Amino acid sequence: MVAIGLSAGAVARIRFAVSCVWEVAASVRVLRDTGDHAVHLPWVNRVRPRLRAAGLVGTDRTHGPDAADGGLLWQLIPAGPGYLPDFLTPPPGGLTPDLDAELAVLRATPPEVVRADLDLYGGARSAAVRALYADPAAGLRRIADEIAEYWRIALAPDWPRIRLLLDAEVQHRARILAENGAAGLLNDLHQQVRWEDETLSIAQRHCTAVDVADGGGLVLIPSVFVWPSVLSVAGSASVAGSASVAGGASVAGGAAAQLAYPARGVGTLWEAPRQASDTLSAVLGRGRARLLVEMRAPISTTELARRTGISAGGVSQHLAVLRAAGLVSTYRSGRSVLNTRTTVADALLTVAG
């Protein structure tokens, strides 16, 4: 358990952010040990051979961070709940993630911050890790290059659907905040997270973190690959006070706390396309029934057209009919317009089998 001070003033500084680099770090942990992340096995089985061929991941999916195979990023990120160096997950800027911008922040990490985090590193140091400690600037450039290549191979092809799910999660949480306030928001994030008496408590096995008496705010980061747990970086007054927090992150100097938590709907992310039942198709028509089946999570009209093979104009016409029937609702999230099933539609799909 770690306790982070989160006063009323700090709560006023809560914000959401979506991060490419956080997804990279969390997904590497999934590849390290798929035992706790079975929901992602379809993705793992698809991308692991490509990442291995590129030399970015090692041959043993469960060994610790002391092995020297794979890239430097692979060596630095262990399976949970091992320590994850803070400098790999700098605070993201906002709701429009930009990998290049995040990598620029990573490359600009001060050498003393890198070395302070590596002083907490638990594994035997490979030659690459020792070189990073000796020359942080060169090592950070190598890590940034590895992250860019990892992203291209493992995450970029699926990023549009991941991004839609994360945007929908932010929309959902923003509504909870508006309806129930900060307490309703924070106490609904995850079973390991609790906010009361101006303190954010994060329950985590094997956590050795010190408490942070006065946090400077909170960045909430919905994540696909952090499921089923949470990861956090807690704000602190000095780098020297760093300590492991909540399953692998640590206390960072001078920044707001970060909490990466599982977005809703992760279980639907890698599902194979389903066919609408004959009964539902007979009632609604095959095209409209197919659209309802595909709306397992909020989704754009363009993505619906891609998944179903129906033209974008045809999808729009079907959605207009479904909205008029109370089966679909539509809302704007940033530049995207997302469609989602209503509870009436969920009940209809359940009855239709």
Side-chain angles (χ1 to χ4, degrees), residues 74-253:
W74 176 259
Q75 295 173 40
L76 288 173
I77 299 180
Y83 170 70
L84 170 63
D86 278 348
F87 66 83
L88 293 175
T89 53
L95 296 177
T96 307
D98 184 325
L99 179 63
D100 291 338
E102 291 187 64
L103 292 181
V105 174
L106 175 67
R107 286 191 291 266
T109 306
E112 61 271 19
V113 172
V114 175
R115 293 191 176 108
D117 287 349
L118 290 180
D119 284 338
L120 302 173
Y121 181 77
R125 298 190 180 188
S126 66
V129 175
R130 293 196 300 272
L132 171 63
Y133 195 94
D135 188 352
L140 289 171
R141 288 194 296 270
R142 173 179 172 179
I143 292 171
D145 290 343
E146 289 186 6
I147 289 175
E149 182 66 2
Y150 179 99
W151 177 269
R152 183 187 68 81
I153 295 172
L155 295 182
D158 297 307
W159 184 242
R161 67 166 66 181
I162 292 173
R163 176 70 188 280
L164 283 172
L165 191 147
L166 297 178
D167 286 348
E169 169 65 18
V170 172
Q171 182 81 15
H172 170 73
R173 296 298 172 181
R175 181 164 184 166
I176 291 178
L177 178 62
E179 293 178 345
N180 303 320
L185 169 68
L186 295 174
N187 292 324
D188 186 60
L189 285 175
H190 194 273
Q191 64 268 25
Q192 293 172 228
V193 179
R194 186 73 183 169
W195 184 63
E196 57 185 355
D197 299 328
E198 297 193 338
T199 300
L200 186 71
S201 301
I202 305 170
Q204 185 76 30
R205 291 178 304 163
H206 312 297
C207 178
T208 59
V210 295
D211 290 345
V212 181
D214 186 16
L218 182 64
V219 184
L220 296 174
I221 305 167
S223 169
V224 164
F225 290 100
V226 76
W227 184 93
S229 187
V230 294
L231 291 174
S232 68
V233 178
S236 176
S238 67
V239 173
S242 296
S244 170
V245 172
S250 70
V251 174

